[in-house]
Each structure stands twice: as structure tokens, then as C-alpha cells.
Amino acid sequence: MKRLMLALSLTLSAAVLAPAPVLAGATDTDEERAARWAEIKTSIFGDRKVEAGESAVTIDAPARALDAALVPIGLTLADKDSVKGLYFIIDDNPSPYAAHFTFGPAADPGEIKMRVRVNNYTNVHAVVETKDGRLLESAKFVKASGGCSAPMGMSDEEAMKGMGEMRMKFVGDVQPGKPAEATLMVRHPNFSGMQMNQITRDYTPARYIQKLDVTYGDQLVFSLDGDISIASNPVINFAFKPEGQGPIKVVASDNQEGRWQQSFPVPSASN
């Protein structure tokens, strides 16, 4: 379903060279935005019912972004024990499907934080998938423009240096029986395909992290299905249950068959 949306909206390197109608903007009416969301829901979820669920997931996002290419997003889940997965959708981005988290038994999915690109004044949607199959949505309006086409501020070669390098930070010592917080940083340009090389004046082909698996020992924390809307050099804040044996292992792959993995020892109060 996501790939269908990409096929329709992202022939990126070629499509951006041709004039295209403006599909969304600050002047859109609530009715136009509602109609667009209805189309997106059908593209992603088919005929499954998506219910209003503002109390199920809270979106923390700036009303007006300081940098459209690095918009901080926080997603807080009210009933974390009932959650199977979480979708984040940016309605007016070229590819609205931004991220899908699937949580495993080692996850403590109370809160997820990340940084995204926002290309236009838009509604963003978070959709929680519960373990019993319900889909619960929440929305917020964000004012930003040009995030998907914003240049990196360096050459493509510089942006790709160290691609795949990872770092992990933990908040304090990790204690059994208590959720542990961590921040994962992955060096990757996440080229959107809409960015112009400032030297050659050509558009840089899309290259972005497509899959990210985080495990603790032999248990899944989360699996992320990503796309071009995730900001360059992705940073993801998450929590996990430190039960059993570590380490935390991260495996990342991108849409051009790049693959990287790294393991991180988990600090404990006994160390």
C-alpha cells in the first residue's frame, strides 16, 4: 500500500523537474484537508475503520516549525499495554506515509520522539493500532514549508560520510523491572529525491532508511518502516523493558540496499 502511494507521488528525480499543480497549502479549507485525509486513509488502511482517538495518542509538535527539515515530533500513548503499532502520517508531504512502528515484547511504547520533514502547511496524523485490531487517530496542524526539498548545506559526498554509523545514549542506569529510556542516532542523509545538489544543480536521487529493527537480547523492541519524511541523520527516542539479557542490537537498511548493524551494551545499576 505504501509503495502504491510512492509510485503515484514519487517518481522523484524526474517528477520535480516538471511543473506540477500545487496540491495543498495555507489556503486549503478544512473540507479539502478532510477529503485528502480520507484518500490517504484508504490508501494506507483500505476499508478498515479509523476511529477518532485523541485520548489514545497525543501529538507534540510545534504549531509553526523553526526548521521545516527538522521538525520535532513527540507521540505519547495513553494505554501503552494495548498498543501493537503506531503510524505517523504527514498529509501534504509528497509521500504522506512517514513512519510505521511495530512494537515487540521488549518495548515500553509509552512515548516515541523523532524528527521529520514537513513540506507544506499540513495536518499530521498519528494512528494507533491496538492489539485487538482497532485503529485510533489523532491530528494536529503544523505550519512549515519546504522541508522535503531543503538542501543539506553540504555536498552529497560530505553528507554520506560515515553513513550507517550509530550511537546510543541511555538515560541513567538501567534497572530490571523499570522501563529504560534510550536515544538512537543513525548517520544517514535520508535524501528525499527533491533536494538539489548545490554544486551540480542536479537533483540528488532518493536514498533513505527504509527499515530499522531494534532488539534487546532476543526480543524485539520495535521495527520501524520509514520513508523520505524522516529527517536526515535520524534520531529516535524510545523506551524498552530491560528483562533478560542485552545487548541492544540495531539493524538498519536503506532503499539502495545499504545495510548496517551495531550492538550496544546496556548500562546497569550493578556495573
Side-chain angles (χ1 to χ4, degrees):
M1 55 190 173
K2 182 179 75 164
R3 300 307 163 201
L4 173 61
M5 295 174 67
L6 283 174
L8 294 174
S9 62
L10 286 179
T11 46
L12 288 167
S13 295
V16 293
L17 297 176
V22 176
L23 298 179
T27 60
D28 283 4
T29 65
D30 289 342
E31 290 76 15
E32 288 171 322
R33 295 188 187 282
R36 187 174 300 113
W37 173 234
E39 292 178 359
I40 293 170
K41 282 193 296 186
T42 300
S43 296
I44 297 175
F45 303 111
D47 58 1
R48 295 177 68 186
K49 181 181 180 182
V50 182
E51 308 171 52
E54 289 80 5
S55 62
V57 53
T58 301
I59 302 173
D60 182 14
R64 184 183 293 274
L66 296 177
D67 185 342
L70 290 169
V71 181
I73 299 293
L75 305 171
T76 303
L77 306 177
D79 186 7
K80 62 184 181 182
D81 293 333
S82 71
V83 173
K84 175 183 177 182
L86 176 64
Y87 296 81
F88 188 69
I89 298 155
I90 306 173
D91 294 16
D92 294 316
N93 271 14
S95 178
Y97 187 118
H100 176 209
F101 292 87
T102 300
F103 299 108
D108 186 84
E111 184 178 49
I112 289 286
K113 294 181 180 179
M114 58 184 172
R115 303 182 303 188
V116 300
R117 297 176 170 124
V118 177
N119 209 51
N120 214 329
Y121 284 37
T122 184
N123 283 328
V124 299
H125 283 86
V127 179
V128 172
E129 182 175 19
T130 65
K131 292 176 181 177
D132 61 4
R134 297 177 68 195
L135 296 171
L136 306 171
E137 67 161 288
S138 183
K140 187 166 185 178
F141 186 69
V142 176
K143 295 179 180 179
S145 182
C148 292
S149 58
M152 293 283 291
M154 62 185 75
S155 69
D156 293 351
E157 291 75 17
E158 290 175 309
M160 295 174 69
K161 282 182 179 178
M163 188 165 58
E165 292 177 358
M166 303 179 197
R167 293 167 58 194
M168 182 84 71
K169 290 183 178 180
F170 298 93
V171 178
D173 291 329
V174 174
Q175 300 182 18
K178 295 184 178 180
E181 297 180 24
T183 300
L184 170 65
M185 295 154 279
V186 182
R187 186 165 180 81
H188 196 289
N190 259 28
F191 291 130
S192 68
M194 299 175 62
Q195 296 151 309
M196 179 180 287
N197 184 303
Q198 300 301 296
I199 298 174
T200 66
R201 311 305 289 176
D202 293 328
Y203 287 92
T204 303
R207 183 164 190 176
Y208 55 90
I209 290 180
Q210 197 168 39
K211 188 79 170 177
L212 193 64
D213 292 318
V214 177
T215 54
Y216 178 75
D218 59 357
Q219 291 193 319
L220 178 69
V221 180
F222 69 84
S223 180
L224 169 63
D225 186 15
D227 215 291
I228 67 163
S229 293
I230 295 179
S232 60
N233 299 319
V235 176
I236 300 172
N237 296 74
F238 64 96
F240 65 99
K241 299 174 184 176
E243 300 168 358
Q245 298 295 319
I248 281 191
K249 180 180 176 182
V250 181
V251 179
S253 57
D254 68 17
N255 67 316
Q256 291 194 23
E257 300 184 357
R259 188 180 185 277
W260 308 269
Q261 68 178 52
Q262 191 165 337
S263 294
F264 300 91
V266 177
S268 66
S270 61
N271 288 344

